[in-house]
Amino acid sequence: MERFLLGLAAGSLAAAVTYAITTAPPWWWAVGLIVAVLIWFGELIVDAVLD
């Protein structure tokens, strides 16, 4: 649950910063989602790469 909330917060923050720079919806949605997914599944991805 901690990782989910951290990913949600970081994704929202990244989307907000991107929205402040550009208001094009695909960009801030994509950046927020990518950041959240990387935090949510980052540990699994690193473990898969290192094994």
Side-chain angles (χ1 to χ4, degrees), residues 5-39:
L5 292 176
L6 178 64
L8 185 63
S12 297
L13 181 64
V17 169
T18 306
Y19 183 78
I21 295 170
T22 179
T23 58
W27 288 113
W28 61 271
W29 275 106
V31 168
L33 188 60
I34 289 169
V35 168
V37 167
L38 284 176
I39 290 176

